[in-house]
């Protein structure tokens, strides 16, 4: 490959009317081939550079998109987490209210049953007392009847 120094230091033989046309043509052909090769390589390098630049830009855009997506995903995750916490708090509060209502209803039912039991116990005691009084009255009547019967029997025997 011809270097820039080769071109700068190239000496052509002088002929009677100037340089040797064959040497100049050969040198120009060498320069042309090398320059054409360099030009193709330059074009390929330029194309690769452009492609690399495009790829870099595309990757930067993709990176920005991914960053935005990640930010949105993080925000969505945070919102979802907060919504879940709020929903959990509502569920817990609702469960507490239901628990309180159930306990209140159970306490009311227990109170009502205790009142009913007390009323039944009072009725039982009242009935028991009445039955006792009736039995005592019956016993008293029986005792009076016995006494009367004994008197009648004694009167009959005395007669």
């Amino acid at each position: 490959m011809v270097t820039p120094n080769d071109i700068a230091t190239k000496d052509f033989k002088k002929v009677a009317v100037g340089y040797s046309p064959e040497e100049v043509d050969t040198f120009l052909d060498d320069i042309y081939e090398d320059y054409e090769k360099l030009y193709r390589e330059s074009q390929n390098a330029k194309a690769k550079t452009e492609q690399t630049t495009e790829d870099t830009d595309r990757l930067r855009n993709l990176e920005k998109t991914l960053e935005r997506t990640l930010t949105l995903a993080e925000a969505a995750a945070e919102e979802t987490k907060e919504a879940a916490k709020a929903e959990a708090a509502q569920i817990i509060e609702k469960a507490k209210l239901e628990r309180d209502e159930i306990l209140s209803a159970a306490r009311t039912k227990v109170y009502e049953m205790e009142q009913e039991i007390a009323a039944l116990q009072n009725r039982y005691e009242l009935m028991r007392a009445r039955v006792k009084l009736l039995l005592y009255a019956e016993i008293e009547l029986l005792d009076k009847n016995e006494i009367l019967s004994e008197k009648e029997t004694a009167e009959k025997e005395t007669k």
Side-chain angles (χ1 to χ4, degrees), residues 48-64:
K48 285 181 183 179
T49 301
E50 288 174 359
Q51 184 63 41
T52 302
T53 302
E54 287 176 13
D55 290 346
T56 302
D57 289 344
R58 200 170 51 247
L59 288 174
R60 281 189 183 130
N61 288 336
L62 180 61
E63 181 181 20
K64 287 178 185 177

Side-chain angles (χ1 to χ4, degrees), residues 2-140:
V2 176
T3 65
N5 194 31
D6 292 338
I7 296 171
T9 59
K10 178 67 176 168
D11 286 330
F12 294 103
K13 291 183 189 174
K14 300 221 183 199
V15 279
V17 187
Y19 297 105
S20 163
E22 292 91 27
E23 273 187 49
V24 170
D25 287 343
T26 303
F27 185 71
L28 288 174
D29 288 343
D30 290 344
I31 289 174
Y32 175 79
E33 288 173 15
D34 287 344
Y35 181 76
E36 185 178 25
K37 182 179 175 185
L38 287 173
Y39 183 78
R40 277 190 307 242
E41 288 174 1
S42 172
Q43 290 299 316
N44 289 339
K46 183 178 178 184
K48 285 181 183 179
T49 301
E50 288 174 359
Q51 184 63 41
T52 302
T53 302
E54 287 176 13
D55 290 346
T56 302
D57 289 344
R58 200 170 51 247
L59 288 174
R60 281 189 183 130
N61 288 336
L62 180 61
E63 181 181 20
K64 287 178 185 177
T65 301
L66 288 174
E67 285 176 359
R68 284 191 304 266
T69 302
L70 180 60
T71 302
L72 290 174
E74 287 172 343
E78 190 63 31
E79 286 178 17
T80 302
K81 187 169 83 172
E82 292 301 318
K85 282 181 182 180
E87 186 177 350
Q90 286 178 342
I91 290 170
I92 289 169
E93 190 60 32
K94 184 178 177 183
K96 285 179 180 178
L97 289 173
E98 287 178 11
R99 175 204 62 198
D100 292 345
E101 288 174 5
I102 290 168
L103 285 174
S104 178
R107 286 185 183 115
T108 301
K109 188 71 174 172
V110 165
Y111 177 77
E112 289 172 356
M113 292 177 91
E114 286 173 346
Q115 294 299 314
E116 191 175 331
I117 289 170
L120 288 172
Q121 285 175 337
N122 288 337
R123 284 181 61 197
Y124 170 76
E125 291 300 323
L126 183 63
M127 292 295 283
R128 187 171 177 236
R130 284 183 182 169
V131 169
K132 271 184 172 180
L133 286 174
L134 285 173
L135 288 174
Y136 286 140
E138 197 62 37
I139 290 172
E140 203 174 294

